[in-house]
Amino acid sequence: MDLSKVIRDIPDFPVKGIQFKDITPVLQNIDAFKHSLDELENIILDVDFDVIVAIESRGFLFGAPLADRLDKPLSVLRKPGKLPAAVVQKTYKLEYGEATLEIHNDALKPGDKCLLVDDLLATGGTVAASAALCEELGGVVTGCLFLVELCDLPGSEALSNYPIFSLVKYGKDI
Amino acid sequence: MDLSKVIRDIPDFPVKGIQFKDITPVLQNIDAFKHSLDELENIILDVDFDVIVAIESRGFLFGAPLADRLDKPLSVLRKPGKLPAAVVQKTYKLEYGEATLEIHNDALKPGDKCLLVDDLLATGGTVAASAALCEELGGVVTGCLFLVELCDLPGSEALSNYPIFSLVKYGKDI
């Protein structure tokens, strides 16, 4: 199944000039959703990790079923003010604008090997901040997993310290 | 497994006087997470539905793995400005404050039987708005599924038109 034919392009969202990759058609097509989960499992077969760290909110849609399938604990990175217990937080630049993420202090144990999960890798700012938060808690990021990678943007450079795994790649040279 | 012993109470979050039920310890304990998914499956065995409609964001954490387990398409209700295609939206009152939800116009087909999924039922405002949005698209809500129900709050009254299923109930008479 070619997932790139299920994902749809929405022009000028969230701001003019951005061609948004909408993954909701993947979710709404259960064969496509299960195929995407199968393939996400396959591309991380050799990754050694203790915990899945899913990034709010679309990362939850893939991180939670992968935790269930792979029998791994699930920790969550959330937007500010959402996590009720003590947190560490980080503010970072986005492709469009700025954002902050938080993680509970007890979301990881020191030495935990972390697989970060999000739907899409663009400039990598969100995931670099996520990795830094995991490391602040003593975690070790052993992989970053995405359904979609926009290869014309410098995401892989921003995450050059980490192994990156992505299923559907878009870009000039693909 | 007694999930109520895994869920933790956080006093005065997000505002003074609210005792917040933090479900992140369930996610971080894979046995508890899988047990919660098993039991969520069990309590909806007799519910006839075509599509799971998960409410952002914690509803994604349970709705997505249930869609995967039960081979059902997944549609998402999101906060304003997050869904890139044409939407319908609804603003509603919360236990503390006010909020708006949106759903893509093409998230449901007319006649689709919908199972709404969220982590927690409190006053029911979020889910009543979610059900109204599903109905606006021609959907029929055949069930509302929650990990946690706060039985001292009037959630079940707000959703009296719909079958409610919840796993862990808190309240004076429980």
Side-chain angles (χ1 to χ4, degrees):
Chain A
M1 179 185 284
D2 184 351
L3 290 170
S4 71
K5 294 191 172 138
V6 183
I7 295 164
R8 67 179 166 184
D9 286 340
I10 309 280
D12 298 323
F13 185 88
V15 293
K16 199 166 171 58
I18 301 284
Q19 173 110 304
F20 190 85
K21 298 294 179 188
D22 180 19
I23 57 97
T24 63
V26 175
L27 307 172
Q28 289 172 222
N29 174 338
I30 186 59
D31 293 332
F33 187 37
K34 289 176 83 89
H35 177 73
S36 72
L37 294 168
D38 292 343
E39 293 295 307
L40 288 168
E41 274 192 65
N42 284 341
I43 58 172
I44 54 160
L45 274 180
D46 295 332
V47 181
D48 179 24
F49 65 99
D50 303 306
V51 55
I52 288 178
V53 183
I55 302 172
E56 184 171 13
S57 327
R58 285 187 298 262
F60 294 1
L61 295 164
F62 296 92
L66 287 173
D68 181 30
R69 284 172 171 227
L70 299 169
D71 282 335
K72 297 289 184 183
L74 178 65
S75 287
V76 291
L77 282 152
R78 298 205 62 188
K79 282 144 196 164
K82 299 292 185 180
L83 289 168
V87 297
V88 289
Q89 69 161 224
K90 194 164 180 67
T91 298
Y92 60 97
K93 286 190 180 170
L94 277 179
E95 194 178 355
Y96 29 87
E98 187 180 91
T100 300
L101 279 177
E102 295 184 342
I103 189 167
H104 271 154
N105 287 347
D106 64 2
L108 299 175
K109 297 186 297 296
D112 270 351
K113 293 187 278 292
C114 304
L115 177 71
L116 283 166
V117 176
D118 206 354
D119 66 323
L120 182 139
L121 175 58
T123 61
T126 301
V127 190
S130 300
L133 284 170
C134 291
E135 289 164 352
E136 195 171 334
L137 296 179
V140 179
V141 177
T142 54
C144 303
L145 179 64
F146 308 94
L147 181 70
V148 176
E149 180 177 354
L150 306 182
C151 299
D152 287 343
L153 294 172
S156 58
E157 291 158 39
L159 300 177
S160 59
N161 290 337
Y162 310 104
I164 299 175
F165 304 89
S166 61
L167 213 55
V168 185
K169 297 175 203 290
Y170 294 92
K172 291 192 201 86
D173 304 327
I174 305 296
Chain B
M1 178 184 285
D2 184 351
L3 289 170
S4 71
K5 293 190 171 136
V6 184
I7 294 164
R8 66 180 166 185
D9 286 340
I10 309 279
D12 298 325
F13 184 88
V15 295
K16 200 167 170 57
I18 301 285
Q19 173 111 305
F20 190 86
K21 299 294 179 189
D22 180 19
I23 57 96
T24 62
V26 175
L27 307 173
Q28 290 173 220
N29 175 337
I30 185 61
D31 293 333
F33 186 37
K34 289 176 82 91
H35 177 73
S36 72
L37 294 168
D38 292 344
E39 293 296 308
L40 288 168
E41 274 191 64
N42 283 340
I43 59 173
I44 54 160
L45 275 180
D46 295 331
V47 181
D48 180 22
F49 64 99
D50 303 307
V51 55
I52 289 178
V53 183
I55 302 172
E56 181 170 16
S57 307
R58 284 189 298 265
F60 293 2
L61 296 164
F62 297 92
L66 287 173
D68 181 28
R69 283 173 173 228
L70 298 169
D71 283 334
K72 297 288 185 184
L74 178 65
S75 288
V76 290
L77 282 151
R78 298 206 61 188
K79 282 146 197 162
K82 300 292 186 181
L83 289 170
V87 298
V88 289
Q89 70 161 224
K90 194 165 180 67
T91 297
Y92 60 97
K93 286 189 181 171
L94 277 178
E95 195 177 356
Y96 29 87
E98 187 179 272
T100 301
L101 278 177
E102 295 184 343
I103 190 167
H104 271 154
N105 287 348
D106 64 3
L108 298 176
K109 296 186 297 295
D112 270 350
K113 294 186 277 291
C114 303
L115 177 70
L116 282 166
V117 177
D118 207 353
D119 66 322
L120 184 139
L121 175 60
T123 61
T126 300
V127 190
S130 299
L133 284 171
C134 290
E135 289 164 353
E136 195 171 334
L137 296 180
V140 179
V141 177
T142 54
C144 304
L145 179 64
F146 308 95
L147 181 71
V148 176
E149 180 176 354
L150 306 181
C151 299
D152 286 344
L153 294 172
S156 58
E157 292 160 40
L159 300 176
S160 59
N161 290 338
Y162 311 105
I164 299 175
F165 305 89
S166 62
L167 213 55
V168 185
K169 298 174 202 288
Y170 295 92
K172 290 192 199 90
D173 303 326
I174 304 295

